[in-house]
Amino acid sequence: MAKKKPNIPILTAKQKRKLTTDQEFQIMKLVLDKFLWLGFGIMAFGLFQIYTLGTLSGFYVMVGGATVLVIFIWILIREYEIAKF
């Protein structure tokens, strides 16, 4: 007996599936969580450099991590229309 292929509709460019608001939010949370971990990791590495090397280069790395976190805040405000400070 031959196996039946599952009936999966083929979508063209014009027939894209729409995500619900909750699905969009869940995907956005995953992406933004990565920004948080990246910013924290960069800042922790900068702190480690300051501790081990004792030079100003670690401070610059920490500023880079803070920049990533500021970008994260900017994306949150832009995407979810959170009240500005």
Side-chain angles (χ1 to χ4, degrees):
M1 186 170 181
K3 290 185 179 180
K4 277 185 148 180
K5 289 185 179 179
N7 190 9
I8 300 173
I10 298 174
L11 300 176
T12 63
K14 293 180 182 180
Q15 298 173 328
K16 291 184 180 177
R17 292 184 181 173
K18 299 286 183 178
L19 295 175
T20 65
T21 306
D22 185 55
Q23 290 171 332
E24 284 182 12
F25 180 71
Q26 295 298 328
I27 292 172
M28 194 66 170
K29 274 193 338 186
L30 290 172
V31 171
L32 294 178
D33 185 50
K34 302 306 181 259
F35 269 102
L36 277 175
W37 278 111
L38 183 66
F40 174 76
I42 292 171
M43 291 184 74
F45 179 68
L47 186 62
F48 174 74
Q49 279 189 332
I50 289 174
Y51 180 72
T52 57
L53 300 177
T55 61
L56 200 56
S57 65
F59 176 74
Y60 295 133
V61 173
M62 287 185 69
V63 169
T67 304
V68 169
L69 292 175
V70 167
I71 291 171
F72 165 72
I73 292 170
W74 177 71
I75 289 172
L76 272 178
I77 291 172
R78 189 189 67 168
E79 289 295 322
Y80 292 104
E81 299 173 9
I82 297 173
K84 295 183 180 177
F85 301 97

